[in-house]
Amino acid sequence: LSQVKDLSVEQSRVLARTGWYLNLSGLTSLDDEAASLLACHTGSLNLMSLRDLSEKGGQSLGCHLGPVYLALDQLPTRVAAAFEGARRANAFYPGGAITNSLGMVFALIPSGEFRMGTPGDNGEEYPHRVRITRPYYLGVHLVTQAQYERVMGNNPSFFRGPDLPVEHVAWDDAKVFCEALSRIPEERQAGRSYRLPTEAEWEYACRAGTNTTYSFGDECEQGDARFSQEQAWAPQQTVPVGSYAPNAWGLFDMHGNV
């Protein structure tokens, strides 16, 4: 493989299924689709001769969970920055993370057990133990209006802005969005399929290993989330996704923005 100068998409797909160390040190060019496929490979990647790579390709390779050997000083600055940014983001998530063709980042949530529900007689679900038997991926950020519009061709939001979270979306609309996202050719080729999390999966990820009322404690205060329009200090509209601090598992805006 060290003598290979370029890879077809089909060759990349085959190599992505292996767990070997891939010595592709002679590879000089890699298109976006092939880069996305190689990012799914579980072994080390030697790509020291790679020169022709887009920002999108750099971001995809940066999400590879194993070692990736690149001569970053030989790549365009923006491509190297995209790669390194994705590597830093990936390192933040203990289980790893992936970035899809729309630039949406998904963190791997580990399996485990937690106490689901709210203590006290306040009409909420009574606390009980729930076990999540399999790890799953969950979006790090709320879906932005730009991402929703790119997939669905419309934007139902009242507050407008490409980096603001999409709102005025019903459960059925969100389900249709997941189905449409799954049909995007790049996502199908990468073997990715999307769905809404179950109530238990969402609460487990929101709590992020904590037993407090909120993932950051028992009180939700100014700067923690957008949860009230009645206070003078509260934002009167949604804010760009990721504006509030993430929880312990790197998930943003879990306690309110929309």
Side-chain angles (χ1 to χ4, degrees), residues 3-223:
Q3 304 303 311
V4 173
K5 299 296 182 185
D6 54 52
L7 283 177
S8 68
V9 170
E10 186 55 40
Q11 288 172 324
S12 299
R13 183 174 290 109
V14 171
L15 290 175
R17 298 192 186 107
T18 71
W20 312 327
Y21 161 69
L22 293 182
N23 182 7
L24 297 169
S25 57
L27 192 67
T28 58
S29 176
L30 196 63
D31 66 24
D32 292 345
E33 189 174 344
S36 178
L37 289 166
L38 283 184
C40 300
H41 177 257
T42 57
S44 302
L45 293 174
N46 184 342
L47 301 167
M48 288 301 291
S49 295
L50 192 60
R51 301 291 183 270
D52 185 7
L53 183 69
S54 71
E55 284 184 62
K56 182 178 177 181
Q59 186 180 54
S60 293
L61 290 177
C63 292
H64 183 272
L65 297 183
V68 180
Y69 304 102
L70 280 172
L72 294 178
D73 59 335
Q74 299 300 312
L75 290 171
T77 302
R78 292 174 67 89
V79 175
F83 173 81
E84 291 185 309
R87 292 305 269 181
R88 285 193 297 271
N90 198 45
F92 183 77
Y93 302 101
I98 60 171
T99 302
N100 72 5
S101 61
L102 271 68
M104 303 168 74
V105 179
F106 295 82
L108 184 62
I109 308 301
S111 58
E113 189 173 305
F114 77 113
R115 186 181 66 172
M116 183 175 179
T118 304
D121 184 17
N122 56 4
E124 297 289 343
E125 186 174 16
Y126 191 78
H128 58 287
R129 301 299 298 180
V130 173
R131 179 158 184 78
I132 304 296
T133 59
R134 294 182 179 181
Y136 57 97
Y137 282 97
L138 191 68
V140 167
H141 297 105
L142 302 175
V143 176
T144 68
Q145 293 177 28
Q147 292 163 346
Y148 188 89
E149 189 166 1
R150 181 174 170 186
V151 174
M152 302 300 293
N154 65 81
N155 182 1
S157 305
F158 179 78
F159 300 113
R160 293 299 182 104
D163 295 325
L164 296 179
V166 66
E167 14 100 357
H168 283 71
V169 175
W171 184 91
D172 287 336
D173 299 323
K175 182 173 180 290
V176 171
F177 171 82
C178 292
E179 293 168 350
L181 181 58
S182 299
R183 290 195 297 269
I184 291 178
E186 293 89 344
E187 299 308 300
R188 294 180 63 184
Q189 289 161 359
R192 292 190 283 259
S193 179
Y194 298 86
R195 64 171 176 83
L196 296 173
T198 66
E199 182 181 0
E201 287 173 336
W202 186 90
E203 185 171 334
Y204 174 65
C206 182
R207 290 185 177 278
T210 65
N211 290 312
T212 49
T213 304
Y214 305 97
S215 64
F216 41 74
D218 287 320
E219 299 293 332
C220 191
E221 301 177 350
Q222 179 180 1

